[in-house]
């Protein structure tokens, strides 16, 4: 009996101790890891959508509460040029064929237009749906005004990737979400970075 | 001091983990596409191995024999999770490169094998020396294999081009078959070398490296448990 | 087990005891190898006629490298140098047969050296190798130097076409330019010797008549290719090529008579031999239809080689033996 | 249906767990001395891998993710696998002695077979559902068993052939594994 007691005590002591240490370590590295993931997963797509800038959008990022939707928040990446806001970007998601498609949407700070989009994560069919991340599809968004962001088949001005209407729709849904968010946050963003 | 050195140095040649003891093969094969990856993996293993040896040696007297293995696993796995977190925070590209083999350090026979064979029977300092020595030997082996494969497979070492201009990369070396063949030929070379050494000294023939799981000691460990 | 060659007074090897017993090994190894070389001669002549001096250069370089490397390996292993049994020559020539005629010199030398060193000598020389040696060299080169091994890319300025890539990339219409007579006479691109379908067939028949190889494997291999491609062709004749086309292109004939019949990497019982051949032939078609490689033969034979030890366990129950057939000897 | 078929073909041949993903090499080299051992080990691996993947999937889904403890994945999975192997051993001993007799000695070895933990983690990283997880882990383990059996049959032959002195044992096994993996390149491109 004593032995079993000892076994249980030692085991739970060790497990508890390592659990506590790991929880602390997890907390300590949380910010670093988030930044690293942003740099290496979202980073390449971010660089693709931004106008010329001289800051690091990832370290300057800021979380915003979405007005009218308590508990929801979105991270905005600003692109600053000579200390002034040149553009900003956010990541949104749309339902594609294989799962969510993550899209970074960049906005021009000066006028109501997109600076471009970049796809971050997706699980689309290789060679077909993955083409939404390719040049031909994404370049349509560079400099596009905020209206008529819809597939041509639905009265918009965007050409779908042939054979991948689900994936195209998913990417566009994400862009539309970003535009809606931008409308709500526009003033606040303007106040944060001049 | 000399005993510490002895424990440390045996991992460098006489009991060189992947080549002599034929331990921890999976990462040895999988992550040695480049010298950099081999080095990174090796450093992670040094960290886990040294600390796990130290911790296990520290608590060896209070652990009841029956839950010994479970305790070893908890300690080793916690250290692996710590390495995972640290790598994500400070070396994310390497973490991506090594992929699933970072969590798999926990089942690397070296860790549990050294815990059972050495750390659970020896005081703290020799255990640290043993872990450090084995870890350094493992790292050196991985880096060497990585450099070799990178040299022929990409024509570079640590990313720096070293081959002549018209060199056509021998991609076989960086594919899976190349990993196996390269390690096999290296082992054969080491056997050849030891045999030659033994013959020169006039001693008995050296025993070639065999992998019967014998050196990993997990089987014995598992049987004793029941 | 003592497995050294028995040597008569004259000093020449007459009989090598090797396990498993080889059905198809005739009187002497050099004799058999010479016969194989003789059987390959028509294809050598045809290759030289179709591809010119380039083909001769590749074949000569490959054979020379093979012999030198084998001698060096024997020296390093402190064994009697066995190059006088001509087996290295056969390996070198067969490897050259799989290459495009314009293969660069370093590729030929590296591949031929790998065939001998990694395909054969690592496993203790003739009789011990689990794969047909030239295939090991071919496969290593194929995954390392794709563009130099690619028949189309290395023979861009030839007037002939490689029927299998035409089929793979351009579909069934593209192969209508090949008549069976042309294919048989070697008027196609391919491995420099492998494309000489008619000449190889002649050589294969010579080997069969001389009883150097048993008919089981070649016939089963051809049958496997034929039957599976027939099944595909019947399922959709407008999409899959006719079976005869598959038989006459790539290295099917070379594979059936010369590569798959390699002594130590093929099984020995009748049933295992037939299964081995069928497996290789069927895999050839499967790789051609679904895989990355236009000509599936080398890889198909390697996979069949892998299965050889398992196939060999199928054997007749020893007379009066009580145990299961395969276990009786163990 | 085709989806599962392709998943199976891919796991067994195209991305063979041993020959293409380098998982489970220790038992591959250690237990391939003769066909009997290889068959036993292979069967035990199939059995444990499928159970382990199923269990770890459920734990990840219903415990780790809801309590956002997924950074503890490694430690929890390895403990689950170790405990599972122990239970299976005890269960077989009581419930199916003949099966225990043939698989029992291999079971303890499996805890540190990195293929088991590896497959469980791969299923999580690929975000498979439960059915896909089970199918994938079963097929992967079958691929392991296939490679092990082929290897054992070939190594039985090596015992009789004149391997160079320094190639005997692990080196020959490794070189052979390399050439096997080379032959498996045949399946490349069959499934994208």
């Amino acid at each position: 009996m004593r032995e079993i007691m000892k076994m249980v005590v030692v085991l739970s002591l060790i497990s508890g101790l390592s659990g506590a240490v790991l929880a602390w370590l997890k907390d300590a590295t949380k910010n670093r890891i988030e930044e690293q993931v942003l740099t290496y997963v979202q980073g390449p797509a971010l660089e693709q959508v931004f106008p010329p800038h001289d800051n690091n959008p990832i370290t300057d990022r800021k979380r915003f509460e979405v007005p009218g939707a308590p508990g929801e928040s979105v991270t905005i990446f600003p692109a600053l040029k000579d200390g002034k806001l040149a553009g900003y970007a956010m990541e949104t998601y749309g339902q594609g064929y294989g799962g969510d498609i993550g899209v970074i949407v960049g906005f021009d700070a000066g006028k109501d237009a997109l600076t471009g989009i970049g796809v971050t994560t997706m699980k689309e069919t290789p060679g077909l749906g993955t083409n939404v991340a390719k040049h031909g599809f994404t370049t349509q968004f560079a400099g596009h005004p905020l209206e008529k962001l819809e597939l041509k088949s639905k009265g918009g001005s965007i050409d779908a990737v042939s054979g991948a209407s689900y994936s195209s729709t998913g990417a566009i849904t994400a862009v539309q979400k970003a535009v809606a968010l931008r409308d709500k946050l526009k003033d606040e963003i303007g106040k944060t970075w001049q | 001091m000399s005993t510490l050195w002895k424990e440390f140095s045996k991992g460098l040649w006489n009991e060189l983990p992947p080549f002599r003891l034929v331990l921890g093969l999976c990462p040895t094969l999988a992550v040695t596409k480049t010298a950099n990856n081999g080095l990174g993996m090796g450093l992670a293993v040094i960290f886990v191995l040294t600390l796990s040896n130290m911790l296990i040696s520290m608590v060896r007297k209070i652990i009841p024999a029956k839950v010994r293995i479970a305790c070893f696993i908890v300690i080793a796995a916690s250290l692996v999770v710590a390495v995972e977190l640290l790598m994500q925070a400070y070396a994310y590209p390497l973490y991506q490169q090594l992929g699933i083999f970072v969590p798999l350090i926990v089942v690397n026979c070296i860790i549990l094998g050294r815990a059972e064979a050495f750390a659970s029977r020896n005081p703290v300092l020799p255990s640290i020396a043993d872990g450090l020595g084995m870890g350094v030997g493992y790292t050196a082996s991985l880096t060497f294999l990585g450099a070799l494969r990178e040299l022929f497979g990409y024509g570079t070492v640590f990313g720096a081009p070293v081959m002549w201009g018209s060199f056509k990369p021998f991609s076989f070396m960086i594919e899976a078959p190349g990993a196996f063949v390269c390690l096999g030929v290296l082992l054969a070379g080491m056997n050849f070398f030891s045999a030659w050494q033994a013959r020169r000294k006039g001693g008995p023939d050296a025993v070639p490296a065999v992998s019967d799981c014998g050196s990993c000691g997990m089987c014995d460990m598992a049987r004793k448990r029941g | 087990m003592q497995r050294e060659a028995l040597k008569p007074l004259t000093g020449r090897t007459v009989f090598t005891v090797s396990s498993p017993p080889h059905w198809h090994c005739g009187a002497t190894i050099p004799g058999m190898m010479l016969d194989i070389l003789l059987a390959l001669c028509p294809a050598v002549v045809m290759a030289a006629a179709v591809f010119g001096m380039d083909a001769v250069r590749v074949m000569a370089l490959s054979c020379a490298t093979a012999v030198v490397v084998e001698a060096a390996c024997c020296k390093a292993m402190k064994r009697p140098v066995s190059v006088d049994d001509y087996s290295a020559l056969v390996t070198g020539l067969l490897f050259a047969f799989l290459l495009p005629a314009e293969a660069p010199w370093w590729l030929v030398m590296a591949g031929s050296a790998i065939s001998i060193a990694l395909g054969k000598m690592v496993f203790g020389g003739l009789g011990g190798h689990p794969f047909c040696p030239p295939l090991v060299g071919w496969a290593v080169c194929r995954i390392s130097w794709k563009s130099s091994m690619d028949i189309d890319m290395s023979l861009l300025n030839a007037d002939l076409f490689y029927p299998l890539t035409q089929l793979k990339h351009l579909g069934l219409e593209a192969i209508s330019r090949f008549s069976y007579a042309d294919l048989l006479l070697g008027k196609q691109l391919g491995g420099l010797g492998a494309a000489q379908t008619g000449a190889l067939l002649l050589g294969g028949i010579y080997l069969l008549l001389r009883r150097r190889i048993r008919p089981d494997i070649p016939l089963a291999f051809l049958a496997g290719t034929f039957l599976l491609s027939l099944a595909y062709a019947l399922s959709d004749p407008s999409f899959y090529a006719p079976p005869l086309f598959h038989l006459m292109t790539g290295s099917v004939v070379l594979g059936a008579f010369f590569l798959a019949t390699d002594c130590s990497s093929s099984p020995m019982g009748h049933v295992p031999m037939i299964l081995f051949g069928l497996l290789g032939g069927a895999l050839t078609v499967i790789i051609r239809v679904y895989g990355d490689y236009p000509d599936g033969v080398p890889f198909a034979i390697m996979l069949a080689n892998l299965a050889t030890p398992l196939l060999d366990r199928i054997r007749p129950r020893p007379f009066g033996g009580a145990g299961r057939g395969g276990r009786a000897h163990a | 249906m085709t989806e599962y078929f392709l998943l199976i073909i891919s796991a067994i041949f195209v991305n063979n767990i041993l020959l293409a993903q380098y998982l489970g090499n220790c038992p591959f080299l250690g237990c391939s001395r003769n066909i009997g051992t290889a068959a036993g080990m292979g069967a035990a691996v199939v059995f444990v891998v499928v159970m382990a993947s199923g269990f770890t999937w459920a734990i990840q889904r219903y415990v780790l993710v809801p309590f956002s403890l997924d950074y503890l994945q490694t430690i929890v999975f390895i403990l689950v696998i170790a405990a599972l192997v122990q239970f299976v051993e005890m269960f077989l001993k009581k419930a199916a002695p003949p099966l225990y007799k043939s698989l029992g000695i291999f079971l303890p070895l499996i805890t540190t077979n990195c293929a088991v933990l590896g497959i469980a983690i791969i299923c999580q990283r690929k975000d498979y559902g439960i059915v896909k997880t089970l199918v994938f882990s079963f097929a992967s383990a079958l691929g392991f068993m296939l490679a092990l059996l082929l290897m054992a049959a070939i190594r039985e032959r090596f015992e009789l052939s004149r391997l160079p002195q320094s190639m005997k044992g692990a080196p020959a096994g490794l070189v052979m594994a390399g050439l096997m993996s080379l032959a498996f390149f045949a399946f490349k491109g069959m499934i994208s």
Side-chain angles (χ1 to χ4, degrees):
Chain A
M1 197 57 215
R2 248 185 79 92
E3 204 182 331
I4 293 183
M5 279 299 290
K6 194 183 167 199
M7 261 157 57
V8 172
V9 169
V10 170
L11 245 184
S12 36
L13 207 70
I14 290 182
S15 311
L17 219 69
S18 65
V21 170
L22 287 178
W24 168 78
L25 191 65
K26 164 85 183 162
D27 227 39
T29 53
K30 204 172 144 207
N31 281 327
R32 250 329 276 200
I33 293 178
E34 194 187 334
E35 211 155 87
Q36 291 274 309
V37 173
L38 285 174
T39 312
Y40 289 101
V41 179
Q42 270 84 2
L46 268 176
E47 285 310 313
Q48 195 183 323
V49 304
F50 273 143
H53 58 93
D54 49 17
N55 69 325
N56 181 352
I58 290 170
T59 42
D60 291 344
R61 72 186 188 280
K62 203 164 167 13
R63 270 195 111 69
F64 286 90
E65 297 290 321
V66 179
E72 258 185 66
S73 65
V74 60
T75 306
I76 306 282
F77 304 91
L80 306 174
K81 176 84 181 158
D82 304 325
K84 287 188 71 166
L85 188 65
Y88 47 90
M90 62 181 99
E91 187 177 20
T92 45
Y93 299 90
Q95 173 70 38
Y97 182 72
D100 274 351
I101 302 179
V103 181
I104 290 271
V105 186
F107 295 95
D108 198 312
K111 51 184 191 284
D112 285 345
L114 298 178
T115 53
I117 68 164
V119 175
T120 51
T121 51
M122 61 176 164
K123 291 182 195 140
E124 303 306 289
T125 321
L128 204 62
T130 46
N131 281 344
V132 295
K134 292 258 176 69
H135 208 66
F137 182 76
T138 52
T139 37
Q140 299 181 65
F141 293 89
H144 196 284
L146 300 186
E147 296 86 40
K148 297 193 90 175
L149 277 169
E150 185 58 90
L151 288 181
K152 276 201 175 132
S153 57
K154 290 178 194 157
S157 64
I158 303 292
D159 285 313
V161 173
S162 60
S165 56
Y166 273 107
S167 310
S168 311
T169 313
I172 287 185
T173 317
V175 175
Q176 289 165 345
K177 274 189 201 162
V179 172
L181 279 171
R182 182 239 181 212
D183 284 340
K184 290 182 191 163
L185 291 169
K186 196 166 71 176
D187 301 330
E188 216 177 317
I189 292 170
K191 265 184 262 163
T192 314
W193 297 285
Q194 292 303 309
Chain B
M1 200 56 222
S2 63
T3 48
L4 282 191
W5 173 249
K6 212 183 89 214
E7 300 304 347
F8 177 77
S9 61
K10 70 173 189 278
L12 301 185
W13 181 258
N14 284 340
E15 295 182 21
L16 192 61
F19 295 156
R20 284 301 178 86
L21 301 182
V22 201
L23 279 185
L25 285 186
C26 303
T28 309
L29 292 165
V31 305
T32 51
K33 264 189 188 175
T34 63
N36 253 336
N37 285 1
L39 185 64
M41 187 71 194
L43 291 179
V45 170
I46 291 186
F47 177 87
V48 175
L49 186 54
T50 313
L51 283 181
S52 82
N53 262 11
M54 182 183 91
L55 291 175
I56 286 167
S57 170
M58 272 157 68
V59 296
R60 72 184 192 280
K61 296 225 169 98
I62 59 163
I63 296 181
K66 279 205 170 157
V67 287
R68 197 172 77 245
I69 308 293
C71 292
F72 294 170
I73 291 182
V74 170
I75 291 174
S78 312
L79 288 166
V80 170
V81 173
V83 164
E84 272 185 273
L85 289 172
L86 290 173
M87 265 181 136
Q88 281 182 60
Y90 295 99
Y92 197 79
L94 183 67
Y95 176 77
Q96 280 179 314
Q97 284 278 320
L98 299 183
I100 162 176
F101 287 93
V102 183
L104 285 184
I105 294 176
V106 67
V107 278
N108 192 326
C109 329
I110 292 183
I111 311 283
L112 292 181
R114 289 329 285 175
E116 167 73 6
F118 199 92
S120 61
R121 297 170 194 171
N122 287 286
V124 177
L125 276 182
S127 297
I128 295 180
D130 174 80
L132 215 53
M134 287 280 164
V136 169
Y138 191 67
T139 309
S141 317
L142 252 63
T143 315
F144 176 68
L145 193 60
L148 201 67
R149 288 178 65 195
E150 191 185 343
L151 174 68
F152 289 108
Y154 291 113
T156 60
V157 172
F158 284 108
V162 287
M163 288 299 214
W164 59 94
S166 60
F167 172 74
K168 294 275 193 303
F170 184 32
S171 329
F172 172 73
M173 295 291 271
I174 47 170
E175 301 281 0
F180 286 105
V181 170
C182 199
L183 185 60
V185 171
L186 264 179
L187 283 185
M190 286 199 54
N191 284 344
F192 188 76
F193 182 70
S194 331
W196 177 77
Q197 238 183 356
R199 229 178 301 127
R200 235 178 38 146
K201 284 184 190 155
D205 274 3
V207 188
V210 280
S211 143
D212 273 352
C213 305
S215 38
C216 118
M218 285 311 291
C219 331
D220 298 340
M221 208 158 124
R223 286 208 192 94
K224 269 184 262 160
R225 179 178 53 176
Chain C
M1 185 187 295
Q2 185 60 38
R3 300 185 2 79
E4 286 305 312
L6 300 176
K7 295 211 170 136
L9 292 173
T10 55
R12 278 197 67 186
T13 311
V14 287
F15 186 59
T16 300
V17 184
S18 65
S19 156
H22 300 293
W23 274 110
H24 21 241
C25 284
T28 63
I29 294 177
M32 166 155 177
M33 292 300 165
L34 274 180
D35 256 349
I36 295 180
L37 283 176
L38 202 60
L40 288 170
C41 273
V44 172
V45 173
M46 284 298 290
V50 175
F51 296 107
M53 281 318 283
D54 262 335
V56 179
R57 173 188 64 98
V58 169
M59 289 187 282
L61 193 56
S62 173
C63 290
T65 313
V67 172
V68 171
V69 171
E70 170 142 342
C73 287
C74 288
K75 278 266 180 260
M77 282 156 53
K78 303 210 168 60
R79 293 195 176 165
V81 174
S82 57
V83 289
D84 58 349
D85 66 8
Y86 307 111
S87 66
L89 219 52
V90 171
T91 302
L93 193 57
L94 284 175
F95 174 70
F97 270 23
L98 292 165
L99 292 178
E102 295 200 353
W105 61 271
W106 50 266
L107 178 83
V108 179
M109 289 182 71
S112 180
I114 290 169
S115 302
I116 294 290
L118 200 58
K120 189 164 131 191
M121 299 316 283
V122 168
F123 300 105
L126 196 67
H129 45 91
F131 290 105
C132 178
L135 296 178
V136 174
W138 181 87
V140 169
C141 290
R142 184 62 178 62
I143 64 171
S144 295
W145 300 293
K146 193 161 178 282
S147 56
S148 304
M149 289 295 284
D150 196 292
I151 305 278
D152 283 310
M153 269 154 95
S154 59
L155 290 168
L156 272 181
N157 44 7
D159 335 317
L160 299 169
F161 292 94
Y162 185 33
L164 287 167
T165 39
Q166 297 275 316
L167 171 68
K168 195 157 193 83
H169 300 304
L170 302 174
L172 204 53
E173 301 89 65
I175 63 167
S176 57
R177 70 167 110 230
F178 301 101
S179 75
Y180 289 130
D182 280 353
L183 290 178
L184 210 55
L185 287 174
K187 285 188 181 164
Q188 55 169 323
L189 283 191
L192 60 89
Q196 318 308 329
T197 311
L200 286 170
L201 209 56
L202 224 60
I205 291 169
Y206 169 76
L207 283 185
L208 282 179
L209 290 180
R210 292 272 295 164
R211 303 199 163 221
R212 290 303 194 187
I213 55 176
R214 299 171 63 83
D216 307 41
I217 293 179
L219 293 186
F221 191 93
L222 295 176
T225 312
F226 184 85
L227 290 178
L228 193 61
S229 53
L230 182 69
Y232 274 113
L234 286 182
S235 76
D236 186 357
S238 64
F239 188 73
Y240 296 108
L244 268 182
F245 173 83
H246 275 295
L247 284 187
M248 289 186 187
T249 52
S251 28
V252 171
V253 176
L254 180 70
F257 287 99
F258 296 94
L259 299 174
T261 52
D262 173 67
C263 288
S264 79
S265 56
S266 60
M268 21 177 201
H270 277 288
V271 177
M273 273 183 174
I274 290 169
L275 286 177
F276 173 88
L278 286 176
L279 180 69
L283 279 169
T284 301
V285 180
I286 289 178
I287 297 172
R288 282 184 180 184
V289 172
Y290 299 108
D292 262 357
Y293 308 98
D295 180 15
V297 175
F299 273 127
I301 296 179
M302 282 184 82
L303 286 172
N305 285 161
L306 263 184
T308 296
L310 278 183
L311 290 174
D312 258 340
R313 295 177 78 86
I314 309 170
R315 60 184 77 167
R317 183 180 293 200
F319 181 70
R324 276 175 289 169
R327 289 285 175 79
H329 74 294
Chain D
M1 209 49 230
T2 5
E3 196 186 355
Y4 291 113
F5 178 70
L6 290 181
L7 189 68
I8 290 171
I9 295 292
S10 152
I12 295 182
F13 296 113
V14 187
N15 296 314
N16 187 286
I17 194 85
L18 234 166
L19 300 173
Q21 319 225 34
Y22 316 93
L23 290 175
N25 278 293
C26 295
F28 180 56
L29 290 174
C31 296
S32 57
R33 280 307 173 90
N34 69 66
I35 291 196
T37 321
M41 184 67 184
V45 166
V46 173
F47 191 65
V48 172
V49 160
V50 175
M51 287 192 71
S53 302
F55 264 93
T56 50
W57 183 88
I59 284 175
Q60 172 89 9
R61 176 80 190 275
Y62 296 110
V63 181
L64 294 185
V65 172
F67 296 101
S68 62
L69 287 172
D70 39 346
Y71 66 100
L72 290 179
Q73 192 189 56
T74 312
I75 190 168
V76 172
F77 277 22
I78 185 71
L79 285 177
V80 167
I81 290 171
L84 189 71
V85 170
Q86 191 87 92
F87 275 121
V88 168
E89 209 183 336
M90 289 190 317
F91 177 77
L92 283 188
K93 213 173 190 171
K94 286 259 158 60
L99 197 61
Y100 177 75
K101 231 178 163 183
S102 52
L103 298 190
I105 49 167
F106 303 108
L107 283 174
L109 290 179
I110 286 179
T111 318
T112 49
N113 180 348
C114 51
V116 181
L117 182 61
I119 291 173
I121 295 179
I122 289 176
C123 289
Q124 293 305 332
R125 296 212 168 170
K126 291 200 173 163
D127 236 343
Y128 284 156
I130 180 67
V131 183
K132 259 193 170 176
T133 295
L134 291 178
V135 171
F136 174 80
S137 52
F138 179 65
S140 292
L142 273 189
F144 178 86
M145 189 171 172
L146 175 74
L148 197 60
L149 279 177
L150 290 173
M151 186 66 162
I154 290 169
R155 281 184 92 171
E156 279 191 352
R157 280 201 165 184
F158 281 173
E159 299 288 314
L160 301 172
S161 71
R162 303 188 299 166
L163 284 185
Q165 190 59 37
S166 43
M167 283 299 292
K168 280 188 178 146
L174 279 165
V175 170
M176 193 53 223
L179 296 185
M180 273 174 84
S181 144
L182 188 63
F184 269 60
F185 261 68
F187 300 106
K188 220 177 154 214
M190 289 202 186
I191 290 156
S192 56

